[in-house]
Amino acid sequence: MQTLVWRGLDEPRMEIARVERGAASLRADGTMIGVSFELRYELERDRLRVTVLGGPSIDVAPGETDFFDLGFSPLFNTLPVLRGLNGPTDFVMTFVRVPSLEVVRSEQRYEPLGERIVHYSSGSFEADIEFDEDGFVTRYEGLAERVG
């Protein structure tokens, strides 16, 4: 079990996640605190549970998508990296918007640039994401950086 902590770069926000990494999978539970919300999540291979304190809760399966993605969370960008990227790769995600917990389909592209940097794009949004040797985000351009 490993504990990871990120702070927001674009607005006040913190995330703490306790993760257990398998060969090509990840289990995690975490807390995210933003200016107007606090949420808790549990990630298993085929299940994501999210609760906004004082608000909605969801329990979703990935369906026919590749992975889950949770708004504002750098942890979830680890999922495609753990699978392995052999060049630019397109994924379809079950994306959970925060704090509404609206679930939408999201097409995302991960393009390795070398030195553990991946160029991420979804629609018109683009950012470079830096990863450590274990595949966890250390810095997500404009969104978050790891502090612990």
Side-chain angles (χ1 to χ4, degrees), residues 4-11 13-19 26 28-33 37 39-43 48 50 68-80 93-99 108 110 120 125 129 131 135-140 143-146:
L4 305 169
V5 179
W6 294 271
R7 72 176 184 91
L9 296 173
D10 57 335
E11 61 184 45
R13 185 178 52 255
M14 294 292 292
E15 178 179 0
I16 183 169
R18 285 158 301 285
V19 299
L26 187 74
D29 63 87
T31 300
M32 188 185 310
I33 300 172
F37 68 91
L39 67 77
R40 305 266 193 298
Y41 62 82
E42 292 178 42
L43 171 67
L48 175 62
V50 185
F68 296 108
D69 194 0
L70 180 64
F72 304 119
S73 174
L75 174 69
F76 287 77
N77 297 98
T78 292
L79 300 174
M93 308 295 202
T94 297
F95 184 80
V96 178
R97 292 189 172 139
V98 172
Q108 301 179 2
Y110 286 72
Y120 166 87
F125 179 81
I129 305 173
F131 294 84
F136 295 109
V137 173
T138 57
R139 183 171 178 83
Y140 186 130
L143 180 76
E145 67 182 358
R146 199 159 86 211

Side-chain angles (χ1 to χ4, degrees), residues 16 28 63 82 90 95 104-105 110 127:
I16 183 169
L82 288 180
D90 295 318
F95 184 80
V104 296
R105 175 185 164 102
Y110 286 72

Side-chain angles (χ1 to χ4, degrees), residues 103-129:
V103 178
V104 296
R105 175 185 164 102
S106 174
E107 295 180 8
Q108 301 179 2
R109 183 175 188 83
Y110 286 72
E111 182 177 349
L113 300 178
E115 298 187 31
R116 297 192 302 260
I117 298 174
V118 173
H119 185 74
Y120 166 87
S121 60
S122 181
S124 62
F125 179 81
E126 296 185 30
D128 288 340
I129 305 173

